[in-house]
Amino acid sequence: MFRQFCHVSPVLPFRSLAKVETRVSPFLQCETQRLRLTTITGGLVFRHGFAISPVVSSFTRVSSFRQGHSQFSNSRFRLSSLSKISSPNNYTKPIVGRWLLLSSGLVFGIVVLGGLTRLTESGLSIVEWKPITGVIPPITHPQWEEEFEKYKQFPEYKLLNYNISLSDFKYIYLMEWSHRMWGRMIGLIFILPAVYFGFRGHMSRPIIKKVVGLAGLLGFQGVLGWYMVKSGLSEELMSTPGAIPRVSHYWLVAHLGSAFLLYSGMFLTGLQILRDSKIAYDSFPKGVARILANPSLNKFRRLAICVAMLIFLTSMSGALVAGLDAGLIYNEFPYMGKSIIPPKSELFSKAYTRLGETSLWRNFIDNPTTVQFDHRVLAISTFCAITALWLYSRRLMLPPNARLAINSVLGVSCLQVTLGISTLIYMVPLPLASAHQAGSLTLLTTALYLVHTMRRIPIKI
């Protein structure tokens, strides 16, 4: 039977072991035969004693092969449900996915470090942006004195840190320097391998486009970071009554939001590549694919995406709270003063309207009371939505990894709510506040993983 559907040819040169799963034509209603290729005298010989050419009929699918053998990767095995994995335009190697996951982990780390930099009020200690020469920090005592004198020329020193010593300045300087160095390290670890993988043909064209977009977002993130710092160095703060020397909360939200988007893009793309690799190698569990093909899961998919978006929105609301130091007021829960909802005169104060404006909408982004109240509402809404999604998932048949993901989302959300309330009640202590910010990205990670695990699998069942 095999002789009827495979082209018999002389022994072909080949240097590795492979496993070819050959399916006979559907109209013959025959079962799958698994035949192993072995290396004999430099050619491909089946157990039954004859060889075949690299061009196999359309019902043949490569299930696994060893990487690093160019002759095999260039052969034209046709796939039954996917495009040819040997073509660099249609297939991305798993190492690219692992590299993207590593890059997303580094972005996670810089988000946590950036939170520590903000909480220790270190972000305005370096008053210049030197992408190249700024790699080397001050070493000698005169160099430290020179940097300290530069710092003294700006509002943070004049209005807030006028009693700071040189040793204290070194601490905040090195915190900000570490944050910037981590950003440079991410740039190198992302850009250099991206160029290498691109030239070596390790990425498909759609993945190349995504990587280029992520690289652009990474560069944009650095520019946003500098403009955020620059907003806190403005001399206008010296002439503004009651001004506090800190970065603009608008720039802070933009900076953190772009970091979250960058992380999400790297994380989801990395997971997608590894999943597609399993499909190409025919190692993705068929039982999971059958479950995901069930139309009854469509509603759950949409709800999972909505929950992930709600978590992102709540995190950005938290960035506004941090930028306005809104966590230092109403340090109680669930009340805000004498009731759960603060007085209307505080929520919609005319003090935050600008000249010529009559609308009170700026309270939602400039009023610390309103911003904290909004964050409470969003946080409670997010927690309730996650709980409802978890309860709904109990009625559905989910794959094991999706079940683990939804359970993780619920568990991390409980921890995040506990951290948020504790951070508020204890007036934003450094360990709790840092853990709360890291928890927001952890919660988003679990939600993104849930969305990933619920994606349909493009294979024939």
Side-chain angles (χ1 to χ4, degrees):
M1 182 182 299
F2 182 81
R3 293 178 182 270
Q4 297 176 8
F5 291 94
C6 289
H7 171 65
V8 180
S9 68
V11 175
L12 301 173
F14 190 67
R15 300 175 182 174
S16 66
L17 296 177
K19 184 186 294 183
V20 174
E21 178 184 33
T22 304
R23 296 184 183 273
V24 297
S25 182
F27 60 82
L28 292 179
Q29 301 295 323
C30 295
E31 295 182 354
T32 299
Q33 300 182 20
R34 294 183 179 271
L35 303 175
R36 181 178 299 276
L37 300 176
T38 57
T39 304
I40 300 179
T41 65
L44 293 179
V45 180
F46 278 96
R47 289 177 181 173
H48 298 283
F50 52 85
I52 63 171
S53 68
V55 180
V56 188
S57 57
S58 61
F59 47 79
T60 303
R61 173 175 33 180
V62 176
S63 61
S64 64
F65 63 89
R66 292 188 179 180
Q67 302 178 8
H69 302 282
S70 59
Q71 292 185 11
F72 180 72
S73 62
N74 291 330
S75 62
R76 298 180 179 177
F77 283 95
R78 295 183 182 179
L79 302 179
S80 61
S81 59
L82 294 175
S83 59
K84 294 176 288 185
I85 64 175
S86 60
S87 173
N89 294 329
N90 298 323
Y91 178 68
T92 300
K93 291 193 174 182
I95 190 174
V96 178
R98 290 190 286 268
W99 158 68
L100 284 172
L101 292 180
L102 171 63
S103 299
S104 68
L106 293 175
V107 174
F108 190 107
I110 200 172
V111 169
V112 176
L113 182 57
L116 286 172
T117 303
R118 179 187 55 79
L119 290 167
T120 56
E121 298 181 347
S122 305
L124 300 177
S125 57
I126 302 180
V127 298
E128 297 174 321
W129 191 30
K130 298 179 179 179
I132 305 300
T133 59
V135 173
I136 303 176
I139 299 175
T140 64
H141 184 74
Q143 290 176 337
W144 278 112
E145 288 286 355
E146 180 182 357
E147 292 297 324
F148 195 23
E149 289 300 321
K150 293 178 183 178
Y151 176 70
K152 291 179 180 180
Q153 306 303 315
F154 290 91
E156 185 175 66
Y157 176 82
K158 297 177 181 178
L159 297 177
L160 188 64
N161 290 339
Y162 47 84
N163 289 328
I164 193 174
S165 64
L166 180 60
S167 60
D168 294 332
F169 172 73
K170 289 181 179 181
Y171 173 77
I172 62 174
Y173 185 98
L174 290 176
M175 282 291 297
E176 173 64 10
W177 178 82
S178 300
H179 182 61
R180 297 190 184 191
M181 283 301 300
W182 196 297
R184 292 182 176 96
M185 179 181 66
I186 292 175
L188 290 176
I189 292 178
F190 188 81
I191 298 299
L192 294 181
V195 173
Y196 173 79
F197 292 143
F199 277 104
R200 295 286 295 178
H202 292 350
M203 296 186 290
S204 64
R205 288 180 181 176
I207 295 299
I208 289 177
K209 293 179 180 179
K210 289 184 179 181
V211 169
V212 171
L214 291 172
L217 184 57
L218 179 60
F220 181 65
Q221 169 75 356
V223 174
L224 279 178
W226 168 243
Y227 275 99
M228 181 186 68
V229 171
K230 191 177 180 180
S231 68
L233 301 175
S234 175
E235 289 295 332
E236 294 181 2
L237 295 171
M238 298 298 298
S239 58
T240 305
I244 300 175
R246 62 188 178 199
V247 300
S248 168
H249 52 289
Y250 305 133
W251 285 110
L252 178 62
V253 172
H255 188 51
L256 184 65
S258 62
F260 272 47
L261 291 176
L262 179 64
Y263 171 82
S264 301
M266 292 177 174
F267 183 70
L268 287 176
T269 305
L271 292 177
Q272 174 194 344
I273 292 171
L274 295 181
R275 183 203 63 175
D276 292 347
S277 173
K278 290 182 179 180
I279 296 173
Y281 288 128
D282 197 26
S283 61
F284 194 91
K286 298 297 186 298
V288 173
R290 293 189 188 95
I291 295 175
L292 293 176
N294 190 342
S296 64
L297 297 181
N298 292 339
K299 182 179 179 180
F300 184 80
R301 284 191 183 93
R302 293 191 294 269
L303 291 176
I305 294 174
C306 292
V307 166
M309 295 173 63
L310 186 58
I311 292 172
F312 178 84
L313 180 61
T314 305
S315 300
M316 296 305 100
S317 171
L320 278 177
V321 172
L324 292 170
D325 289 331
L328 298 176
I329 60 175
Y330 289 113
N331 300 106
E332 53 191 342
F333 189 85
Y335 290 98
M336 295 183 71
K338 296 181 180 181
S339 65
I340 294 178
I341 302 176
K344 185 178 179 180
S345 59
E346 292 187 31
L347 283 176
F348 301 101
S349 173
K350 294 182 179 180
Y352 295 96
T353 59
R354 295 185 179 180
L355 186 63
E357 291 183 349
T358 58
S359 177
L360 302 177
W361 67 270
R362 288 192 178 275
N363 283 274
F364 289 99
I365 56 177
D366 291 336
N367 186 344
T369 300
T370 310
V371 166
Q372 189 195 120
F373 178 73
D374 291 344
H375 187 58
R376 291 186 183 210
V377 172
L378 283 171
I380 294 172
S381 301
T382 302
F383 180 72
C384 292
I386 291 173
T387 304
L389 185 66
W390 181 83
L391 291 173
Y392 179 55
S393 72
R394 309 304 296 174
R395 302 164 48 190
L396 302 173
M397 177 180 288
L398 299 179
N401 53 351
R403 181 69 65 189
L404 174 63
I406 184 60
N407 290 339
S408 300
V409 172
L410 180 65
V412 175
S413 66
C414 292
L415 177 61
Q416 179 69 350
V417 169
T418 303
L419 286 172
I421 296 174
S422 302
T423 302
L424 180 67
I425 292 176
Y426 292 102
M427 299 188 66
V428 197
L430 180 61
L432 286 176
S434 179
H436 186 50
Q437 178 168 319
S440 66
L441 192 51
T442 303
L443 181 58
L444 181 62
T445 301
T446 57
L448 292 175
Y449 182 67
L450 174 63
V451 171
H452 167 76
T453 58
M454 292 304 300
R455 286 180 173 176
R456 294 184 184 87
I457 306 302
I459 60 177
K460 296 180 180 180
I461 308 301

